[in-house]
Amino acid sequence: MGKMWGDATLPQGMVTFLVGDDEERVEHVSKCALCVRSVFFRTMFGIGMKERDAAEVTVLETDLASFTALVRYLLTDQLDLGEGEGEQARRALVLRQLAHKYQVPRLELLCAQALQESVGPATAVPLLEAAHTTGDGRLLAQCRRFVADHAAEVRASGGVEQLRDLGVAKGLLGDALDQVAELQKGALRSHS
């Protein structure tokens, strides 16, 4: 916050964000504070930009809870992923994308860490699909390994029924076939 002192180029005043298609409001947010915490906001509210003097800014392609969590993090340095295992994983995914878009690398790392910690029987398949979609190789590998090592638990939790992406399904089937082949090789070696 010390960066707010002595920089005459920082914007003054508050902004209200109109979030999503329903234009839900995140009201009275300090432009100055956002600018010192995010290069994206520094550019958005920079000299010569129409948003610099705007009282309201529309934010599309996200939901109110996730955008509010982004703003809360920028203003308080506290990560809010909501309640419940599934909700936390979903929020961490969306918030990580927002952190990337709004150029907040520390928040992006915190969300990636939260995602890695949230891999469990009920979340492994949805996280696997999300990792596949976003190109997150580390999370993808972790989820694949978890599914392979805890197949019965994932299946009992309904993880298989959650599977929607055919490419991910083919990958998991390939993993299962590789495991069967390894087991067969081990069985043949033990009989030799």
Side-chain angles (χ1 to χ4, degrees):
M1 299 310 277
K3 293 178 182 179
M4 294 191 321
W5 179 25
D7 187 345
T9 65
L10 288 171
Q12 298 301 307
M14 302 286 184
V15 64
T16 293
F17 292 101
L18 306 175
V19 182
D21 294 335
D22 295 335
E23 295 189 341
E24 296 177 276
R25 302 171 73 80
V26 177
E27 297 185 310
H28 311 296
V29 182
S30 167
K31 290 180 182 179
C32 185
L34 293 175
C35 289
V36 298
R37 295 280 300 193
S38 163
V39 173
F40 183 96
F41 285 118
R42 178 71 185 226
T43 302
M44 175 188 278
F45 297 122
I47 294 172
M49 301 300 284
K50 68 178 182 174
E51 291 88 356
R52 184 176 184 88
D53 298 317
E56 295 181 341
V57 173
T58 300
V59 178
L60 301 174
E61 301 174 13
T62 192
D63 61 275
L64 181 64
S66 297
F67 190 77
T68 300
L70 170 70
V71 171
R72 181 175 290 119
Y73 175 79
L74 290 172
L75 299 179
T76 67
D77 212 32
Q78 294 177 6
L79 180 59
D80 176 14
L81 295 178
E83 301 293 324
E85 185 178 307
E87 170 62 20
Q88 288 182 345
R90 190 202 68 75
R91 175 81 53 78
L93 278 168
V94 175
L95 195 53
R96 186 181 62 174
Q97 291 171 329
L98 287 175
H100 182 76
K101 176 180 178 177
Y102 289 97
Q103 299 173 329
V104 187
R106 184 167 176 266
L107 177 59
E108 195 172 354
L109 289 172
L110 289 171
C111 289
Q113 180 182 1
L115 285 169
Q116 290 169 1
E117 292 170 1
S118 70
V119 175
T123 60
V125 172
L127 288 175
L128 177 63
E129 288 186 311
H132 176 71
T133 301
T134 61
D136 184 337
R138 176 183 252 164
L139 183 60
L140 182 75
Q142 181 183 356
C143 291
R144 284 177 66 186
R145 179 85 262 145
F146 186 90
V147 170
D149 292 346
H150 302 90
E153 296 167 63
V154 170
R155 189 168 189 182
S157 76
V160 176
E161 289 76 22
Q162 297 175 41
L163 195 54
R164 291 188 174 86
D165 187 308
L166 185 58
V168 171
K170 287 179 180 178
L172 289 175
L173 178 58
D175 290 346
L177 293 174
D178 289 347
Q179 277 192 317
V180 168
E182 286 297 317
L183 290 172
Q184 288 174 338
K185 283 181 190 176
L188 290 174
R189 278 188 224 123
S190 66
H191 285 27
S192 302

